[in-house]
């Protein structure tokens, strides 16, 4: 797919990210949408400064990429279209933990499209990390083990621990065919096939690994910028270092089908024998397996 000659594309880091000018999201054509998709597959997160679409135009633009849904657990603003999730913050109070959007759902978010409505002069930047680069940087024995594992994700940060899904630890992007490391510190609770202590150690390593500076890009927002990121191959993190109002409006494209690099190679771990004080570490996995009738007789 060729990019319009009127567009200027500036890469922002070696791992991921590009800023694109010459685009008007309020006048989307099939060629523009195809160009955005191609840039997103190449750069994973792109920024379109100087857009400032109305809420209706924002929603209309997002619909070109798929089904939109508001946030499943956070309160909506009744003055906005239901597809828009708005977050207002001052003196911090934002998503300052690395995460991929809505991985606690069976079909999580494909992509997110954010409009920076108001931003502080200093601080409140957002960082993204490339889950392709994070996977590629692992040793071959680690890759081999991880490709045979799955992980339990839940909405505990939203006070909804009953909302759970299991996804492969290593997934394959449906468009690029690349492998990505698909666990995050915000929503991922447990490696399904490992016991609690093994899972804790491995998840701590992996969720710290994706933060390595060489996998990341940091973006300083300006008023009216549109940011678009692919949730199938990135995580993001908001720096909680600002004072002054910061307002974002986001639409979320839903319907991801998470395909693993290969099927899980082992059965879910189930504690044997009598329960004890340490059984609390297995509680969430127990409830998930019970809900799916996978505990056996």
């Amino acid at each position: 797919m060729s990019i319009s000659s009127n567009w200027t594309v500036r890469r922002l880091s070696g791992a991921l990210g590009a800023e694109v000018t010459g685009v008007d999201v309020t006048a989307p054509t099939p060629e523009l949408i195809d160009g955005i998709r191609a840039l997103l597959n190449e750069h994973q997160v792109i920024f379109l400064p100087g857009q400032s679409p109305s809420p209706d135009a924002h929603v209309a633009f997002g619909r070109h990429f798929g089904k939109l849904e508001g946030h499943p657990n956070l309160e909506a603003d009744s003055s906005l279209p239901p597809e828009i999730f708005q977050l207002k913050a001052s003196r911090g109070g934002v998503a300052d933990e690395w995460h991929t959007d809505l991985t606690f759902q069976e079909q999580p978010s494909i992509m997110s499209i954010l409009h920076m409505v108001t931003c502080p002069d200093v601080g409140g930047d957002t960082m993204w990390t490339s889950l392709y680069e994070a996977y590629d940087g692992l040793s071959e024995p680690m890759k081999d083990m991880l490709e045979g594992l799955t992980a339990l994700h839940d909405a505990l940060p939203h006070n909804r621990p009953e909302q759970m899904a299991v996804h492969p630890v290593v997934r394959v992007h449906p468009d690029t065919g690349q492998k990505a490391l698909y666990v995050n510190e915000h929503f991922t609770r447990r490696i399904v096939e490992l016991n609690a202590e093994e899972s804790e150690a491995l998840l701590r390593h992996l969720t710290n690994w994706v933060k390595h500076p060489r996998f990341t890009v940091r973006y300083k927002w300006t008023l009216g910028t549109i940011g678009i990121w692919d949730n199938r191959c990135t995580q993001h993190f908001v720096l909680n270092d600002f004072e002054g109002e910061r307002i974002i409006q986001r639409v979320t494209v839903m319907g991801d089908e998470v395909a693993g690099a290969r099927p899980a190679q082992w059965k879910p771990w189930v504690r044997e024998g009598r329960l004890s004080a340490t059984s609390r570490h297995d509680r969430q996995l127990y409830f998930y397996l019970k809900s799916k009738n996978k505990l056996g007789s």
Side-chain angles (χ1 to χ4, degrees):
M1 172 68 199
S2 61
I3 304 302
S4 170
S5 60
N6 296 324
W7 296 7
T8 299
V9 180
R10 181 174 67 91
R11 288 185 62 191
L12 300 177
S13 81
L16 76 167
E19 191 172 69
V20 185
T21 55
V23 179
D24 181 2
V25 301
T26 65
T29 62
E31 292 75 21
L32 183 147
I33 299 303
D34 287 347
I36 292 294
R37 289 186 188 276
L39 287 173
L40 204 58
N41 281 339
E42 180 178 359
H43 299 288
Q44 303 168 66
V45 54
I46 59 175
F47 306 95
L48 315 175
Q51 298 292 322
S52 297
S54 68
D56 288 340
H58 187 179
V59 170
F61 176 67
R63 282 186 177 138
H64 286 278
F65 299 96
K67 179 183 177 182
L68 304 182
E69 291 184 8
H71 200 288
N73 296 324
L74 302 182
E75 186 175 355
D77 187 323
S78 60
S79 68
L80 295 169
E83 297 87 351
I84 287 185
F85 163 61
Q86 178 169 272
L87 182 62
K88 295 182 179 181
S90 59
R91 298 182 61 87
V94 289
D96 57 347
E97 195 168 43
W98 284 99
H99 65 286
T100 298
D101 290 330
L102 307 182
T103 60
F104 54 84
Q105 296 189 327
E106 293 286 350
Q107 293 183 311
S109 169
I110 294 172
M111 60 191 288
S112 299
I113 305 173
L114 181 151
H115 174 207
M116 183 56 68
V117 178
T118 302
C119 58
D121 292 333
V122 177
D125 298 353
T126 306
M127 298 181 68
W128 282 262
T129 189
S130 169
L131 302 181
Y132 295 150
E133 296 289 333
Y135 171 81
D136 288 343
L138 295 168
S139 68
E140 292 304 316
M142 180 64 81
K143 289 178 183 177
D144 187 60
M145 178 180 71
L146 295 181
E147 288 184 12
L149 297 174
T150 61
L152 175 68
H153 302 242
D154 70 27
L156 180 62
H158 302 158
N159 297 315
R160 296 289 189 274
E162 73 282 0
Q163 297 178 3
M164 294 180 278
V166 165
H167 300 301
V169 171
V170 178
R171 66 171 300 174
V172 177
H173 194 288
D175 296 335
T176 68
Q178 292 178 264
K179 295 177 182 179
L181 184 60
Y182 199 64
V183 294
N184 68 87
E185 66 183 3
H186 198 52
F187 295 125
T188 309
R189 294 289 158 259
R190 176 71 174 265
I191 302 297
V192 171
E193 295 78 15
L194 302 184
N195 70 36
E197 290 185 5
E198 293 167 340
S199 173
E200 181 182 9
L202 183 57
L203 279 177
R204 185 186 307 114
H205 170 68
L206 295 177
T207 56
N208 284 330
W209 175 251
V210 301
K211 304 174 190 178
H212 198 290
R214 75 174 183 270
F215 306 147
T216 67
V217 65
R218 175 171 173 166
Y219 191 73
K220 176 174 175 52
W221 295 98
T222 55
L223 182 68
T225 295
I226 291 284
I228 309 173
W229 61 92
D230 190 331
N231 278 304
R232 299 167 292 187
C233 55
T234 65
Q235 290 181 31
H236 56 283
F237 174 97
V238 181
L239 275 79
N240 206 344
D241 64 346
F242 62 92
E243 294 189 13
E245 196 167 43
R246 186 184 190 273
I247 302 175
I248 66 101
Q249 293 176 354
R250 190 185 84 190
V251 299
T252 310
V253 182
M254 300 302 298
D256 187 12
E257 296 285 350
V258 185
R262 66 176 192 262
Q265 300 300 294
W266 301 277
K267 293 180 180 179
W269 189 91
V270 178
R271 173 183 292 270
E272 295 181 356
R274 291 168 31 175
L275 298 181
S276 68
T278 59
S279 300
R280 69 187 186 279
H281 300 298
D282 302 313
R283 185 175 186 273
Q284 198 67 355
L285 180 58
Y286 171 85
F287 282 124
Y288 177 81
L289 294 174
K290 183 178 180 181
S291 73
K292 301 297 182 180
N293 296 315
K294 294 182 178 182
L295 284 175
S297 57

